[in-house]
Amino acid sequence: VQLQASGGGLVQAGGSLRISCAAVGSVLAVNTMGWYRQPPGKGRGLVAMINHDGTTDYADSVRGRFAISRDHAKNTVYLEMNTLKPEDTAVYYCNANLRRNGASVWENIWGQGTLVTVSS
């Protein structure tokens, strides 16, 4: 089981971008999914998360600009990023709390990261 992220790239300030992340492999169930980011030279922090029931939470810096959503059938989480700012430049990592087929425990799994660069 792995998380495959896609959709990063270069965008001008004020623009929009959507990134996605799919849990692929032998997945039994997915609980919370989320996005974290790591700006150059800084630590990793939460951007947004979405629970299985659809409730969401956002970092203050992105609330009102970013929207997280998920497709249960595809085990995929999306992050729609609008009104992007240069300070949004970071590697974005997806995270999922899931159970593999045949497993009795929940695991926290990270994707490989996708780079989002916002030019001024």
Side-chain angles (χ1 to χ4, degrees):
V1 174
Q2 58 181 323
L3 298 180
Q4 294 182 349
S6 61
L10 175 64
V11 62
Q12 287 188 330
S16 297
L17 198 64
R18 188 176 85 154
I19 55 179
S20 61
C21 177
V24 298
S26 188
V27 178
L28 175 64
V30 183
N31 192 3
T32 301
M33 303 186 83
W35 288 97
Y36 291 72
R37 68 185 180 186
Q38 186 167 12
K42 298 185 179 180
R44 189 179 302 187
L46 176 69
V47 176
M49 60 180 292
I50 183 166
N51 294 310
H52 190 271
D53 63 1
T55 55
T56 59
D57 192 21
Y58 295 91
D60 289 342
S61 59
V62 306
R63 188 173 287 113
R65 299 188 297 122
F66 290 12
I68 190 170
S69 60
R70 65 189 291 175
D71 183 327
H72 288 284
K74 297 180 180 179
N75 287 332
T76 299
V77 62
Y78 305 94
L79 187 67
E80 183 75 34
M81 302 180 287
N82 300 305
T83 320
L84 281 160
K85 305 175 181 179
E87 51 264 42
D88 293 317
T89 295
V91 177
Y92 284 70
Y93 296 92
C94 59
N95 176 272
N97 183 245
L98 55 79
R99 277 179 64 183
R100 302 171 190 259
N101 274 322
S104 59
V105 297
W106 292 88
E107 300 176 65
N108 215 34
I109 294 191
W110 291 93
Q112 83 279 15
T114 185
L115 177 63
V116 173
T117 303
V118 184
S119 63
S120 57

